[in-house]
Amino acid sequence: MTLRIRTLAAATAATLSLGVASNAQETFEMTSAFGKNLPILGTAAITFVDKINSISSDVEFEHFDPGELVPALEALDAVSNGSVDASYATSGYWQGKLTAASLFAAVPFGPEAGEFLAWMMYDDGLDLMQRMYDDAGYNVHTIPCGIIAPETSGWFKNEINSLSDLEGLNMRFFGLGAKVMEKLGVSTSLLAGGDIFPALERGAIDATEFSMPRIDARLGFHNIAKYNYFPGWHQPATLFELLINQDRWDALDETSQRQIEVACMANITDNYAEGEGTNFGAMKENVEKNGVTIKQWSPEMLGAFEAAWNEVAVELATSDAFFKEVWDDLQEFRANYKVWNDNIYLPRPRN
């Protein structure tokens, strides 16, 4: 009897062991380009992790702030080579490696959030984005995972009344908009969020753009630069992506893959709503408590920005065949979308 009990116990233990092994949870270490305490940008990565971990028993994501695993601007290479499993960021951070990357992040004078998502999800945008990584030899799978409405277009220490006021400024600037500012005589650099305030404080940069008012408030730009300019011509919408190492993605079963996609789609809604629902308070506080002057670019300045952008787009399309393919595809979609946009929405009067 004792032998039979021992044998049964051993068999049961082996069966349980096999069951645990066959249902082992896949853990993904995910680096974020934005610190978890940063509103809207940082909270989006945390919210995605909460969503996927709450709906999947087979996949678990672990969030890491920028710099804990790799610096924010090194995440693409880290995910591709497998040293990090996943990254939450925006593809505009890879513009130095991939010329077309910012077309999938934020386009000057380009689509706002609804139109951007339409191109990505119901036209060619997402297929082109994945092809960009594949053709360049990156071993990554990309999923749209967040979006925000327009950003502020800059914090300046001095009022900007003409193009001559921009000439010679050193400014932190993101993506394709940086190329526009460079055409207008601004020297630009791409700094991670946590590096911007110290650079402003010590005078390494004269001005900066980063994100929405509530996000910028957390970083304290208003303490040094008192002129905050709108509208966000350089980023009418900003799309964020979840990058997953392709080998890790391929090893997942279809259910786990769909759960990650569903969590990202839910995160897009949450991210957009948080941005739209929480920025006006920061703007009011900037004016009423922080001594910030909110400025609108004049039609002449916006016209100059747009003219410079059109030149940049032609130059990039001429020098990079894939950029041209993506740009042409986006322009074709926008021309078709215009039929809908011009008829269905109320006009937006400007004061």
Side-chain angles (χ1 to χ4, degrees):
M1 178 65 72
T2 301
L3 179 60
R4 288 181 62 191
I5 292 174
R6 288 177 178 171
T7 302
L8 180 60
T12 302
T15 300
L16 289 173
S17 177
L18 286 172
V20 170
S22 63
N23 292 299
Q25 193 173 59
E26 289 282 347
T27 300
F28 287 77
E29 292 186 338
M30 185 193 81
T31 182
S32 174
F34 313 103
K36 59 179 175 290
N37 293 324
L38 200 59
I40 305 171
L41 296 183
T43 53
I46 292 290
T47 301
F48 162 73
V49 169
D50 289 344
K51 288 184 189 328
I52 183 58
N53 290 353
S54 68
I55 65 175
S56 178
S57 59
D58 298 325
V59 172
E60 181 178 66
F61 276 70
E62 186 177 0
H63 175 279
F64 292 89
D65 268 0
E68 290 186 319
L69 297 179
V70 293
L73 301 182
E74 296 178 16
L76 172 59
D77 290 322
V79 175
S80 180
N81 66 34
S83 58
V84 175
D85 300 314
S87 163
Y88 183 90
T90 178
S91 62
Y93 279 173
W94 329 134
Q95 184 176 301
K97 305 172 186 291
L98 300 162
T99 305
S102 283
L103 290 177
F104 305 106
V107 182
F109 298 94
E112 295 182 2
E115 185 181 0
F116 207 168
L117 286 173
W119 176 62
M120 288 296 296
M121 307 303 296
Y122 277 85
D123 198 69
D124 300 324
L126 184 54
D127 289 340
L128 287 166
M129 189 179 189
Q130 184 63 57
R131 213 184 92 203
M132 173 184 71
Y133 290 125
D134 294 344
D135 290 353
Y138 286 100
N139 187 41
V140 297
H141 180 80
T142 182
I143 305 171
C145 208
I147 199 166
I148 58 174
E151 299 184 347
T152 165
S153 66
W155 293 83
F156 295 83
K157 296 178 181 178
N158 299 303
E159 193 170 355
I160 306 298
N161 294 309
S162 66
L163 291 177
S164 62
D165 293 333
L166 290 174
E167 292 178 8
L169 290 182
N170 294 312
M171 187 172 185
R172 186 273 182 195
F173 221 97
F174 170 83
L176 294 167
K179 294 188 176 295
V180 173
M181 297 303 277
E182 288 166 5
K183 261 195 178 299
L184 300 175
V186 178
S187 177
T188 70
S189 55
L190 181 60
L191 303 175
D195 298 328
I196 299 173
F197 184 88
L200 272 174
E201 190 174 37
R202 68 175 185 268
I205 57 175
D206 306 302
T208 188
E209 64 78 42
F210 184 64
S211 194
M212 296 174 132
R214 182 171 169 235
I215 301 165
D216 293 348
R218 180 65 59 87
L219 295 174
F221 302 153
H222 59 269
N223 291 307
I224 298 175
K226 295 295 187 180
Y227 294 94
N228 191 199
Y229 277 79
F230 294 81
W233 59 267
H234 66 303
Q235 288 180 251
T238 306
L239 186 73
F240 302 92
E241 64 175 348
L242 177 70
L243 281 181
I244 299 179
N245 176 270
Q246 187 69 58
D247 297 330
R248 294 298 310 275
W249 175 260
D250 291 341
L252 293 172
D253 60 63
E254 186 176 357
T255 297
S256 295
Q257 290 177 347
R258 297 295 84 79
Q259 287 171 334
I260 293 171
E261 290 170 348
V262 166
C264 273
M265 289 302 294
N267 207 54
I268 287 172
T269 304
D270 203 318
N271 190 211
Y272 184 69
E274 184 183 4
E276 289 288 78
T278 62
N279 274 291
F280 53 82
M283 292 181 71
K284 289 181 177 180
E285 185 168 336
N286 276 336
V287 173
E288 295 168 4
K289 296 183 179 180
N290 298 328
V292 170
T293 300
I294 291 178
K295 301 285 290 185
Q296 286 281 329
W297 292 116
S298 68
E300 293 75 21
M301 290 293 287
L302 284 174
F305 292 143
E306 188 168 14
W309 162 241
N310 289 335
E311 291 178 14
V312 168
V314 169
E315 291 166 2
L316 292 175
T318 301
S319 63
D320 187 287
F322 186 71
F323 183 99
K324 183 179 188 307
E325 181 179 352
V326 178
W327 178 244
D328 288 349
D329 190 276
L330 177 58
Q331 293 303 97
E332 180 183 5
F333 178 81
R334 298 203 73 197
N336 290 324
Y337 181 86
K338 192 173 187 297
V339 176
W340 164 254
N341 184 74
D342 289 355
N343 286 284
I344 199 67
Y345 292 110
L346 289 169
R348 297 182 182 180
R350 282 181 60 85
N351 295 328

